[in-house]
Amino acid sequence: MGLISDEYVRLLGAWPSPFVLRTRIALNLKRVPYEYLEEEDSLNSESVLNYNPVHKQIPILIHGNKPIRESLNIVMYVDETWLSGPPILPSDPFDRAVARFWDVYIDEHCFTSINGVAVAKDEEERKAAIAKLEMCMALLEETFQECSKGRGFFGGDNIGFIDIGFGSMLGPLKVLEKFTGVKFIHPETTPGLFHWVDRFYSHEAVKPVMPDIEKLVEFARLKKHTTSSLDT
């Protein structure tokens, strides 16, 4: 490739990853040109090991030759580095703190609950994980009502930090709904989130990079089958 300019942007990722999706939405929102490099086997990828030798994980944003790691950290970096496009994080310090709190909550509770349902060893464990995930959705419904202030997104009139954090989890959530038959986002129990989902999916920064649900379902089935085979 030759010399890499300080402004050249690359993203190491994998299409099923909700954390990679976050970074792609942020880059699209800021209208940042970038090269996307699919890493099919990130654990054994020379590029991933080179740019993230500690955690050996994607996504990795490479700006010039500088690697930025961890999805929420990358989204904040994109927001602060490029002024093109709408702001992702609020300008008010308190609102910024609130947005960061809820994105951490989404990762530590909602995403772990999605995984908890998927890997539950018995029905009791499965029901407990489902109940926790339903509680997460109820709290995010309240958060949406508070943060949106009657507008279309958590961020107000446009996609913000919480929208990106939670929106990236919609794929795994919809896959889980197909496997369990449970609707975690419902027009009666979570009306704000229910209508928000359509607005999020149709946004110009999201639509081109959101993975196809059926493709995610097949990926989840293959992964589950492979894991089961390895376990036996």
Side-chain angles (χ1 to χ4, degrees), residues 94-123:
F94 175 76
D95 292 339
R96 288 171 72 90
V98 169
R100 287 195 296 263
F101 170 86
W102 283 111
D103 268 11
V104 171
Y105 175 84
I106 288 162
D107 284 359
E108 292 183 351
H109 295 276
C110 302
F111 185 64
T112 55
S113 294
I114 291 171
N115 281 339
V117 177
V119 301
K121 295 180 177 64
D122 52 46
E123 188 62 20

Side-chain angles (χ1 to χ4, degrees), residues 22 72 89 94-111 135-147 154 161-167 169:
R22 286 177 178 173
L72 295 181
L89 277 154
F94 175 76
D95 292 339
R96 288 171 72 90
V98 169
R100 287 195 296 263
F101 170 86
W102 283 111
D103 268 11
V104 171
Y105 175 84
I106 288 162
D107 284 359
E108 292 183 351
H109 295 276
C110 302
F111 185 64
M135 184 189 73
C136 289
M137 295 304 105
L139 283 174
L140 287 173
E141 173 70 18
E142 293 178 11
T143 303
F144 176 76
Q145 301 298 343
E146 292 173 5
C147 292
F154 284 92
F161 199 56
I162 305 176
D163 296 280
I164 292 174
F166 182 45
M169 298 298 162

Side-chain angles (χ1 to χ4, degrees), residues 18-230:
F19 304 102
V20 172
L21 179 61
R22 286 177 178 173
T23 64
R24 301 195 75 181
I25 292 171
L27 289 164
N28 288 351
L29 200 61
K30 289 292 189 173
R31 306 184 186 96
V32 179
Y34 68 97
E35 180 185 7
Y36 175 66
L37 302 170
E38 182 77 18
E39 299 289 342
E40 293 184 4
D41 183 8
S42 60
L43 290 176
N44 296 304
S45 164
E46 184 177 340
S47 296
V48 173
L49 294 174
N50 180 42
Y51 285 111
N52 193 0
V54 176
H55 296 297
K56 305 177 180 66
Q57 292 176 335
I58 50 172
I60 305 168
L61 183 74
I62 308 166
H63 187 193
N65 278 312
K66 299 178 295 187
I68 302 93
R69 311 164 186 93
E70 200 281 313
S71 64
L72 295 181
N73 190 41
I74 293 173
V75 173
M76 288 189 284
Y77 178 86
V78 169
D79 189 38
E80 293 168 358
T81 302
W82 287 279
L83 301 180
S84 54
I88 296 173
L89 277 154
S91 57
D92 180 79
F94 175 76
D95 292 339
R96 288 171 72 90
V98 169
R100 287 195 296 263
F101 170 86
W102 283 111
D103 268 11
V104 171
Y105 175 84
I106 288 162
D107 284 359
E108 292 183 351
H109 295 276
C110 302
F111 185 64
T112 55
S113 294
I114 291 171
N115 281 339
V117 177
V119 301
K121 295 180 177 64
D122 52 46
E123 188 62 20
E124 183 178 351
E125 194 172 301
R126 177 177 174 273
K127 286 181 178 179
I130 287 175
K132 184 178 178 182
L133 186 53
E134 288 174 332
M135 184 189 73
C136 289
M137 295 304 105
L139 283 174
L140 287 173
E141 173 70 18
E142 293 178 11
T143 303
F144 176 76
Q145 301 298 343
E146 292 173 5
C147 292
S148 68
K149 298 179 175 64
R151 290 174 287 177
F153 298 97
F154 284 92
D157 292 323
N158 211 331
I159 285 178
F161 199 56
I162 305 176
D163 296 280
I164 292 174
F166 182 45
S168 65
M169 298 298 162
L170 290 176
L173 192 63
K174 286 179 176 288
V175 169
L176 192 65
E177 287 182 339
K178 284 183 174 288
F179 280 121
T180 63
V182 178
K183 291 293 181 183
F184 295 99
I185 297 180
H186 193 277
E188 292 182 6
T189 55
T190 54
L193 294 181
F194 182 81
H195 295 292
W196 166 83
V197 168
D198 289 336
R199 288 191 292 271
F200 183 80
Y201 265 92
S202 61
H203 195 283
E204 62 180 2
V206 176
K207 197 171 182 180
V209 292
M210 183 64 77
D212 178 75
I213 298 303
E214 292 305 321
K215 189 177 176 183
L216 279 175
V217 169
E218 288 306 310
F219 175 80
R221 284 184 178 139
L222 179 61
K223 187 175 180 181
K224 186 175 182 180
H225 173 73
T226 303
T227 304
S228 298
S229 298
L230 291 173

